[in-house]
Amino acid sequence: MLSKFLVSRFIRNYKDTKEENVRIKYGFLAGTIGIIANFLLFAVKLSVGLVTHSIAITADAFNNLSDTASSIITIVGFKLANKPADEEHPFGHGRIEYLSALAVSFIIMLVGFQFVKESFDRIFNPAEINFSFVPFVLIVISVMIKFWLSRFNKFIANSIDSGALKASSFDALADVIISSVTALSLLLSKWISFPLDSYLGILVALFILYSGFSLTKETLNPLLGEAPDQTLVENIKSGILSYEYISGVHDLVIHNYGPGRCMASIHAEVPCDISIVKIHEVIDKAEKELSNKLKIFLVIHMDPINTNSIEVNKARHELEKVLKSFPLVKSIHDFRVVGDGLYKNLVFDLVVEHTKGFKSEDEERLKKEIDKELKSIHPSYNSMITIDKDFTVL
């Protein structure tokens, strides 16, 4: 496979895609190949266009020259995203890669709008299409090169999980679709006079617009704050729970500062009767080791819990039995019993599944129903509930 050969030929340690320098080299390679391919198409088409005095071929040549913009944006985006952190941007400049993907997505939509306009113009002002061998061959060659370029960019994008290269891949694919429709129209013009290319052009343009909009939405999601990757979430939770004394985790929040640049904070439940110095050593070790292993910046907050009190364990067990009848409740944390004498306050946080339409009044209703069920079992219990949000849910 040519794509794998190019990667292995020009990128040292190409399999280690988590390394920042390797990832940048992937982006540079994709951008460079894109510039070379589009410039070669421009040179060939321009030469043929000037020799044959074909305005269509000459115009298509400059279209290929403009396509180098996507590749240049990709290279510049990777270059700027790799700038080190500074006082104004303490977590680096990784989100610039999302902005470069957004720019390419806008270019794709611009192509779609332009193609819609040209297709409608041809419907209302049809022009006779005459088959010519040289333009037809050039279009076929262009389709083949652009199709490979699309597959190459997609291969690189999947290798390093790059939204910018996914957009560049579809940018090349859009040219493949447009050129294929043009080639089909040229071929059919030998037998039919109906302006089929105009109507096919509208369908293709609408598809390009939809795809450009989808790419824009996909690129905006990490900028707006989408839910984190579930594999990363599970790796953080299971990693922390593997350390001694840590019995539970909650309140995981992950901030995305660009591909491969994440900051995460989480609460870890630890026994309240363990030495602060001892448990701090465990937490500090977990932070450093998991940060290096998962390529993130991890901060762990300690939540001491009472695990040896018979009263606390009994109250928690009774609460857990009650919560089984509430399917919206996913988990509880920060559970404690407050008060002396017969009457006790059960203080805890609930993580609930926020389904569509779940509002603040629904939260209050849920609290009252749980409190009512608890009192039916133990009248001296009074619940103090905080509804918590799971920030890792897709």
Side-chain angles (χ1 to χ4, degrees):
M1 186 179 179
L2 182 56
S3 298
K4 291 184 178 179
F5 171 76
L6 289 172
V7 168
S8 61
R9 176 68 177 81
F10 292 102
I11 301 177
R12 185 179 297 177
N13 300 326
Y14 67 94
K15 292 184 179 180
D16 195 5
T17 56
K18 296 296 183 182
E19 281 296 324
E20 191 170 306
N21 288 334
V22 173
R23 193 174 185 281
I24 296 301
K25 289 178 181 177
Y26 267 89
F28 279 20
L29 177 62
T32 303
I33 294 294
I35 291 173
I36 293 172
N38 282 305
F39 190 80
L40 284 175
L41 285 172
F42 162 73
V44 172
K45 290 181 180 178
L46 180 63
S47 300
V48 174
L50 294 175
V51 171
T52 61
H53 304 288
S54 171
I55 296 176
I57 296 178
T58 304
D60 196 27
F62 282 97
N63 178 55
N64 286 130
L65 182 62
S66 67
D67 287 339
T68 59
S70 296
S71 300
I72 293 172
I73 289 172
T74 299
I75 292 177
V76 173
F78 272 90
K79 180 68 176 177
L80 294 177
N82 196 38
K83 287 177 61 179
D86 53 34
E87 291 184 3
E88 295 181 345
H89 309 93
F91 290 97
H93 301 78
R95 286 179 178 170
I96 291 178
E97 187 175 331
Y98 298 141
L99 295 178
S100 66
L102 197 62
V104 176
S105 300
F106 286 152
I107 291 174
I108 292 172
M109 288 196 291
L110 184 62
V111 170
F113 278 119
Q114 184 65 27
F115 205 39
V116 167
K117 179 178 178 296
E118 290 180 3
S119 297
F120 272 110
D121 285 343
R122 289 193 179 187
I123 289 176
F124 295 108
N125 301 290
E128 184 179 355
I129 300 176
N130 296 315
F131 179 82
S132 180
F133 182 74
V134 173
F136 180 78
V137 171
L138 280 176
I139 291 173
V140 171
I141 293 174
S142 177
V143 166
M144 294 170 63
I145 293 175
K146 284 286 190 174
F147 181 74
W148 176 83
L149 188 59
S150 174
R151 298 294 299 174
F152 176 70
N153 282 332
K154 187 175 182 181
F155 170 76
I156 300 292
N158 291 336
S159 298
I160 62 174
D161 190 23
S162 169
L165 289 175
K166 286 178 184 177
S168 294
S169 172
F170 189 82
D171 186 31
L173 184 60
D175 284 340
V176 169
I177 298 171
I178 293 172
S179 297
S180 297
V181 170
T182 303
L184 179 63
S185 301
L186 275 173
L187 191 61
L188 293 177
S189 69
K190 296 176 64 176
W191 300 284
I192 63 174
S193 58
F194 180 76
L196 180 64
D197 63 319
S198 303
Y199 294 94
L200 287 177
I202 291 175
L203 293 177
V204 171
L206 291 176
F207 170 72
I208 292 171
L209 283 172
Y210 173 77
S211 299
F213 174 78
S214 299
L215 284 170
T216 301
K217 182 181 177 183
E218 184 179 335
T219 305
L220 281 174
N221 280 338
L223 291 172
L224 295 176
E226 65 180 349
D229 177 64
Q230 288 300 295
T231 301
L232 177 60
V233 170
E234 293 305 319
N235 287 340
I236 292 174
K237 290 182 177 180
S238 61
I240 294 174
L241 289 173
S242 68
Y243 286 86
E244 187 180 11
Y245 302 120
I246 299 177
S247 59
V249 292
H250 58 270
D251 287 350
L252 172 60
V253 179
I254 301 176
H255 297 283
N256 182 347
Y257 289 95
R261 297 173 176 86
C262 287
M263 174 186 176
S265 63
I266 193 170
H267 290 216
E269 296 177 352
V270 297
C272 64
D273 54 356
I274 297 293
S275 163
I276 289 292
V277 174
K278 177 65 178 177
I279 201 62
H280 180 268
E281 290 177 356
V282 174
I283 293 296
D284 194 48
K285 181 181 179 183
E287 285 179 340
K288 291 178 180 177
E289 291 181 349
L290 290 176
S291 291
N292 291 330
K293 180 181 178 181
L294 301 177
K295 306 296 182 183
I296 61 174
F297 180 75
L298 179 64
V299 177
I300 303 175
H301 170 79
M302 294 184 293
D303 272 350
I305 60 171
N306 191 338
T307 58
N308 295 322
S309 170
I310 296 176
E311 180 186 28
V312 171
N313 290 337
K314 180 183 177 182
R316 183 178 183 119
H317 178 69
E318 291 175 338
L319 172 62
E320 289 173 345
K321 286 175 60 178
V322 167
L323 294 179
K324 287 181 180 179
S325 59
F326 296 89
L328 283 179
V329 177
K330 298 176 64 178
S331 63
I332 65 170
H333 59 84
D334 287 338
F335 179 83
R336 54 197 183 276
V337 178
V338 179
D340 295 322
L342 182 63
Y343 293 94
K344 299 289 195 320
N345 289 327
L346 305 188
V347 184
F348 55 92
D349 289 7
L350 279 184
V351 178
V352 300
E353 184 176 347
H354 281 74
T355 58
K356 189 175 182 179
F358 191 82
K359 301 178 181 178
S360 56
E361 51 264 33
D362 298 313
E363 293 183 357
E364 295 303 317
R365 189 182 306 111
L366 179 63
K367 291 180 185 179
K368 290 178 181 179
E369 290 176 357
I370 292 173
D371 185 67
K372 182 179 177 181
E373 290 294 321
L374 271 173
K375 288 185 183 300
S376 68
I377 298 174
H378 205 306
S380 63
Y381 286 169
N382 180 46
S383 62
M384 300 179 67
I385 305 171
T386 300
I387 301 293
D388 209 354
K389 180 173 175 54
D390 188 351
F391 291 99
T392 64
V393 177
L394 288 173

